[in-house]
Amino acid sequence: MKIIISPAKKMNRDTDTLAHRTTPVFLKEAEELMEWMRGLSLPEAKALWKCNDRIAEQNYRRFQEMDLRRNLTPAVISYEGIQYQYMAPAVFGGSETDYIQNHLRILSGFYGVVKPFDGIVPYRLEMQAKASPAGDLYRFWGDKLYREVTDGDHFILNLASKEYSKCVERYLTPEDTYLTCVFGELTDGKVKQKGTLAKMARGEMVRWLAENQVEDAEKIKGFDRLGYHFDEERSTDREFVFLEE
């Protein structure tokens, strides 16, 4: 089983808490994107990022000074978003860290596919950015992300946002089992997902999977953190729905 999740915009550098174990598989492609980003002016980069002046200046400087091979932070603690806060990987035990390294894959506009303990540096480049050396990042990456995620394993648990999950979804074959988890609440008889709450649940789900060493779909139904429970009636074999109690 491979679990796919999205990265986070907010990132940090931390070379002390945990050591990185591995190197991103698409490092050469990341270097190509880095050089392309360095060729942009600050106004061009800001327009690409759609952010304020402070964030644009910080990330523009990051790309100009970037070294993808030194002062690296394990990806799973470099990303600081809500999903990663609820995952809380810094306090995992040995079996949990081994589990996420083997099963969890972070999809990235800049690095492509990242293992939790790949050494990375802070960057800003969302998958939906409307520019890249190939025109846009979906075209730049093509089916590489799908092929890396499914290398030797065709059961994919999708905990990623649409922006990232479609990098894998568009290349699925009949050989693949692709299961998406939805975390929501019932409103007028319909399941509604709220962004922040869904991110919290996705992070908590990864933590629960790691703590319980889950390897198959049936056991995923047992997730019961943050007040969620599995809803058999609204679930299918391709979409597991978890509702707040």
Side-chain angles (χ1 to χ4, degrees):
M1 180 175 73
K2 289 294 187 294
I3 308 158
I4 57 172
I5 62 171
S6 305
K9 291 181 183 178
K10 187 177 180 183
M11 299 184 68
N12 75 91
R13 188 188 299 275
D14 180 353
T15 57
D16 298 322
T17 302
L18 295 171
H20 73 277
R21 300 181 184 179
T22 45
T23 301
V25 65
F26 295 123
L27 191 59
K28 289 183 179 179
E29 287 84 350
E31 288 175 335
E32 182 180 348
L33 287 171
M34 177 184 70
E35 293 302 325
W36 181 81
M37 288 294 300
R38 284 175 172 173
L40 300 181
S41 66
L42 177 56
E44 288 172 332
K46 182 184 175 184
L48 183 69
W49 293 323
K50 297 179 181 179
C51 61
N52 61 37
D53 289 344
R54 181 186 63 80
I55 293 174
E57 289 168 3
Q58 177 194 46
N59 285 282
Y60 190 76
R61 183 173 65 253
R62 279 175 170 172
F63 272 107
Q64 299 303 317
E65 300 172 352
M66 189 173 283
D67 185 338
L68 300 184
R69 300 174 187 273
R70 298 181 60 191
N71 298 319
L72 305 178
T73 302
V76 75
I77 64 170
S78 182
Y79 295 113
E80 287 192 319
I82 294 170
Q83 177 177 228
Y84 293 85
Q85 292 171 25
Y86 275 77
M87 193 189 309
V91 294
F92 273 162
S95 62
E96 287 92 352
T97 57
D98 289 343
Y99 178 92
I100 62 170
Q101 182 71 355
N102 290 331
H103 294 280
L104 186 64
R105 297 294 179 265
I106 303 164
L107 306 181
S108 163
F110 183 59
Y111 281 104
V113 176
V114 183
K115 294 178 182 178
F117 290 92
D118 280 354
I120 66 172
V121 298
Y123 66 90
R124 188 182 181 95
L125 190 61
E126 296 176 62
M127 189 64 76
Q128 62 190 358
K130 299 299 184 182
S132 84
D136 67 61
L137 288 171
Y138 294 109
R139 189 176 296 117
F140 177 83
W141 287 111
D143 68 349
K144 288 182 178 179
L145 279 61
Y146 163 78
R147 288 191 285 108
E148 176 62 23
V149 168
T150 57
D151 184 20
D153 194 332
H154 289 269
F155 174 28
I156 304 166
L157 177 61
N158 173 33
L159 298 178
S161 65
K162 283 288 186 183
E163 173 189 351
Y164 287 91
S165 64
K166 69 181 184 180
C167 299
V168 172
E169 287 176 358
R170 61 177 57 180
Y171 301 104
L172 293 172
T173 72
E175 185 181 3
D176 301 311
T177 298
Y178 188 77
L179 176 61
T180 297
C181 286
V182 173
F183 303 96
E185 60 183 35
L186 278 182
T187 304
D188 298 326
K190 295 182 179 180
V191 178
K192 301 289 186 181
Q193 274 200 120
K194 295 182 178 179
T196 299
L197 295 177
K199 290 176 182 178
M200 292 163 55
R202 288 166 183 159
E204 193 70 41
M205 169 68 91
V206 173
R207 164 165 280 280
W208 180 84
L209 293 168
E211 289 175 350
N212 291 278
Q213 302 287 297
V214 174
E215 300 279 352
D216 61 74
E218 191 63 29
K219 290 184 179 178
I220 294 169
K221 296 177 181 180
F223 176 74
D224 60 356
R225 304 274 178 91
L226 302 181
Y228 287 96
H229 68 277
F230 177 70
D231 189 286
E232 186 83 43
E233 180 183 351
R234 294 173 178 83
S235 297
T236 68
D237 58 356
R238 293 183 59 84
E239 183 175 271
F240 280 5
V241 175
F242 295 86
L243 297 179
E244 289 186 283
E245 295 179 351

